[in-house]
Amino acid sequence: MSERFYADGRRYDRLFPGGEQAVAFYRAEADRQGGSVLELGSGTGHKLVPIASDGHPCTGLELSPEMLAEARRKADDRGVEVTWVQGDMRSFDLGRTYDLVMIAANSLLHLHEAADVVACFRTVRRHLAPGGRLVLDVFNPSVEVLARADGVRRRREALSFADPDRGILHVDVAETYDAAAQVTRGTWSFSTDAEADVVVAPLGMRSIFPQELPLLLSLGGLRLVERYGDWSREPFTGESPLQLCICEAD
């Protein structure tokens, strides 16, 4: 995990605001499944706090203590109860099972080794109640996008955001793609107009290709039931931006 990238929960939320379609999708899945919900890589609670406010018993497992602290603050502000656990999604034992397990917002892609992805799926399998489901989303790798990861630092204007202490923060990203490892390794630099590189944080993300994902799920004791290409539940195609997967125990 890229610890420095996730060392400030509020900065993370300012960098990636919105996401209402994703929240609505996962809330609908929780309502459809009913019962208890576990989110792995639960971050700042962007999805889990609204689900808890709908009345579902919720647990969030997150590796970063800073992200957990922000999630607790959000839950307290909303007056909802969520069980927050610091832990690694590859290996944990919560001593119970859940009706729905979620791995949202590309969180699975922080696991760079196939063995780690399978270990995560096996751990999920042990935590699924009878009839329970795993729902996850990861991006659909684009060969064109991966080819542009040439190590050149470029500004991403769309990611600029207002920081209450520093003013407008601009975001520059330099990425390279390791095709053998299927990992994009990036350096994210945050700067103001007056000060360059206020924060510099590495971030590595794995690519999981469409035909690879069902095999990894199968090795983890799970099977792919449905796969959508976007939040509106359009059928998955090669051009879809997302792999939005509904999975059950095999």
Side-chain angles (χ1 to χ4, degrees):
M1 178 171 172
S2 305
E3 291 86 355
R4 186 163 174 76
F5 193 87
Y6 296 100
D8 186 328
R10 294 195 180 192
R11 182 183 67 212
Y12 178 87
D13 282 343
R14 294 184 186 109
L15 178 62
F16 299 116
E20 289 83 2
Q21 286 183 302
V23 173
F25 181 91
Y26 279 102
R27 289 177 89 165
E29 285 300 310
D31 288 342
R32 181 168 74 165
Q33 190 67 18
S36 56
V37 178
L38 167 65
E39 183 178 8
L40 306 184
S42 51
T44 65
H46 181 63
K47 297 173 182 67
L48 202 59
V49 170
I51 290 171
S53 74
D54 293 335
H56 299 282
C58 289
T59 300
L61 183 136
E62 168 60 44
L63 190 59
S64 165
E66 294 85 0
M67 300 287 272
L68 273 177
E70 181 63 10
R72 288 192 181 97
R73 185 193 66 79
K74 286 184 181 179
D76 290 345
D77 286 351
R78 289 278 291 268
V80 298
E81 184 175 344
V82 179
T83 300
W84 302 107
V85 179
Q86 185 175 4
D88 188 323
M89 69 172 69
R90 293 171 294 185
S91 178
F92 59 89
D93 184 359
L94 300 180
R96 57 160 297 180
T97 58
Y98 296 85
D99 299 293
L100 176 67
V101 178
M102 301 162 35
I103 312 177
N106 294 312
S107 294
L108 184 67
L109 303 183
H110 291 102
L111 306 180
H112 296 176
E113 300 292 334
D116 289 336
V117 177
V118 172
C120 174
F121 288 154
R122 287 177 177 166
T123 304
V124 168
R125 175 67 183 83
R126 291 194 296 272
H127 285 79
L128 279 180
R133 284 186 158 188
L134 164 67
V135 181
L136 66 90
D137 69 88
V138 294
F139 66 79
N140 183 23
S142 162
V143 173
E144 291 80 7
V145 171
L146 296 176
R148 290 198 292 270
D150 56 5
V152 176
R153 175 170 170 163
R154 296 182 176 91
R155 178 147 297 181
R156 298 192 179 179
E157 294 290 357
L159 295 179
S160 296
F161 61 94
D163 182 278
D165 300 318
R166 295 189 173 98
I168 300 298
L169 277 177
H170 303 288
V171 182
D172 296 339
V173 183
E175 292 180 322
T176 58
Y177 178 61
D178 182 340
Q182 296 179 202
V183 173
T184 299
R185 297 183 174 91
T187 300
W188 290 56
S189 303
F190 299 81
S191 304
T192 68
D193 291 334
E195 184 180 3
D197 299 345
V198 173
V199 177
V200 177
L203 179 66
M205 299 288 278
R206 191 190 199 279
S207 291
I208 299 181
F209 289 88
Q211 292 202 46
E212 178 187 16
L213 185 52
L215 296 174
L216 293 169
L217 285 163
S218 179
L219 290 170
L222 302 166
R223 63 185 178 90
L224 183 64
V225 177
E226 299 173 89
R227 178 159 43 180
Y228 304 114
D230 63 24
W231 301 115
S232 64
R233 300 178 189 267
E234 286 295 313
F236 176 78
T237 70
E239 289 72 42
S240 298
L242 294 175
Q243 301 181 71
L244 187 46
C245 302
I246 315 294
C247 315
E248 295 178 348
D250 200 359

